[in-house]
Amino acid sequence: MDAKPYSHVIEMLRGASLRPTRQRIALAKLLFDDGHRHVTAESLHADAQEAAIRVSLATVYNTLHQFTEAGLLREIVVDSQRCYFDTNTENHHHFFCEETNSLQDISGEDVVLSKLPAPPEGKTIKRVDVVVRV
Amino acid sequence: MDAKPYSHVIEMLRGASLRPTRQRIALAKLLFDDGHRHVTAESLHADAQEAAIRVSLATVYNTLHQFTEAGLLREIVVDSQRCYFDTNTENHHHFFCEETNSLQDISGEDVVLSKLPAPPEGKTIKRVDVVVRV
DNA sequence: GTGATTGCAAATCTTTTGCACTAAA
DNA sequence: TTTAGTGCAAAAGATTTGCAATCAC
């Protein structure tokens, strides 16, 4: 497997006004170099350890939240005990297997909501999340 | 406001093979006597304190889970930091206001999913949850 | 150099657990 | 009496925070 260059993640970070530090670059490469991923802070920290990247768990948490605020990641709520983050930020939904605690993307086109109620007075719909529990 | 009798919650508990103890009866009355409610363990514990019901937080947690297993409550996942429980166990969905952390029911008929993908190999759909974030 | 970022350890918050005590049957 | 249920305090697990050390610019 070819190691990809650093330039593209550095660009991405600069674009998000995030200083391209060693830790952020390494985590961004883990997250974005191999197609879409679903991670938790713990799992990404473990991946980093395995890849011999020295980064603390606190920094992983901070980084995941900064990336999410910058729109590079999306937080998925499927379990009230753990935060999941998705590198796919397009309109889409999820299968969640409660047995293995694993997520699988459902493309936006494969779910059609043909009826939806109006939001409560004075509110605007920010997002509609569909979770199919299997 | 008329105090309702105890008999109906005692029946309900017996029906669920749960011994009708003082604490369970009191919590069941708080939960089911006034229409549908959305609670967290903390909020129900606070309600109990206010109603001068002596019950520990651990018992509130245990009770909420027992009620959920018995099908009297349903757990709703909208926030990865906290568990919410809904006294409405019918097919329905939710608005979730991220500003106030409050839930509002959407009746089952008001959401129509006209397209849904097939579940992954060997899996069965257990439930489809739609959360409209406002 | 200067201010942003990091690491660590401690703190926080929600939830669970172990065990002696109490109460329903 | 017998066994399920409860309370408390301690433990556990996820996440956040404070602050000194380090790094990007």
Side-chain angles (χ1 to χ4, degrees):
Chain A
M1 122 170 66
D2 293 343
K4 295 201 184 175
Y6 291 82
S7 50
H8 64 296
V9 285
I10 293 180
E11 289 303 306
M12 176 184 269
L13 291 171
R14 286 199 203 284
S17 311
L18 292 170
R19 220 180 247 194
T21 63
R22 182 175 57 74
Q23 291 85 342
R24 286 182 182 155
I25 294 169
L27 294 176
K29 282 179 68 59
L30 282 179
L31 286 168
F32 304 113
D33 271 3
D34 294 307
H36 289 316
R37 300 196 54 192
H38 298 114
V39 303
T40 63
E42 288 287 350
S43 83
L44 183 59
H45 186 239
D47 289 354
Q49 305 273 271
E50 212 159 305
I53 296 162
R54 270 191 32 257
V55 63
S56 72
L57 184 57
T59 297
V60 173
Y61 274 103
N62 289 336
T63 303
L64 286 172
H65 286 129
Q66 290 155 354
F67 284 11
T68 302
E69 264 169 54
L72 305 175
L73 291 177
R74 188 161 125 182
E75 198 180 329
I76 313 168
V77 180
V78 280
D79 175 334
S80 32
Q81 289 334 271
R82 217 182 312 281
C83 273
Y84 287 83
F85 294 87
D86 193 341
T87 59
N88 182 353
T89 57
E90 320 250 291
N91 165 46
H92 73 291
H93 301 285
H94 296 93
F95 282 118
F96 181 61
C97 175
E98 305 190 302
E99 213 173 302
T100 60
N101 270 23
S102 66
L103 280 162
Q104 193 175 320
D105 278 359
I106 301 174
S107 94
E109 303 120 43
D110 287 346
V111 172
V112 177
L113 280 151
S114 55
K115 188 176 177 190
L116 209 58
E121 251 324 276
K123 302 282 170 73
T124 327
I125 293 179
K126 289 195 186 119
R127 201 165 90 196
V128 179
D129 289 334
V130 178
V131 176
V132 183
R133 293 175 190 275
V134 294
Chain B
M1 122 170 69
D2 292 344
K4 294 202 184 173
Y6 292 83
S7 49
H8 64 296
V9 286
I10 293 179
E11 290 303 305
M12 176 185 269
L13 291 171
R14 286 200 203 284
S17 311
L18 293 170
R19 224 182 244 194
T21 63
R22 182 175 58 74
Q23 290 84 343
R24 286 181 182 156
I25 293 169
L27 294 176
K29 283 179 68 60
L30 281 180
L31 286 167
F32 304 113
D33 272 4
D34 293 308
H36 289 317
R37 299 196 55 193
H38 298 114
V39 304
T40 64
E42 289 286 350
S43 82
L44 183 59
H45 186 239
D47 288 355
Q49 306 274 271
E50 212 158 307
I53 296 161
R54 269 190 33 257
V55 63
S56 72
L57 184 57
T59 297
V60 173
Y61 273 103
N62 289 336
T63 303
L64 286 172
H65 286 130
Q66 290 154 355
F67 284 11
T68 301
E69 263 168 55
L72 304 176
L73 289 177
R74 186 161 126 183
E75 198 180 329
I76 313 169
V77 180
V78 280
D79 176 336
S80 32
Q81 291 332 271
R82 217 181 312 281
C83 274
Y84 287 82
F85 295 88
D86 194 339
T87 58
N88 182 353
T89 57
E90 321 251 290
N91 165 47
H92 73 291
H93 301 286
H94 296 94
F95 282 117
F96 182 62
C97 175
E98 304 189 303
E99 214 173 300
T100 60
N101 270 23
S102 66
L103 281 162
Q104 193 175 318
D105 279 358
I106 300 173
S107 94
E109 304 121 42
D110 287 346
V111 173
V112 177
L113 279 151
S114 54
K115 188 176 177 189
L116 209 59
E121 251 324 278
K123 303 280 169 75
T124 327
I125 294 179
K126 289 195 185 117
R127 201 165 90 195
V128 179
D129 289 333
V130 177
V131 176
V132 182
R133 293 174 191 276
V134 294

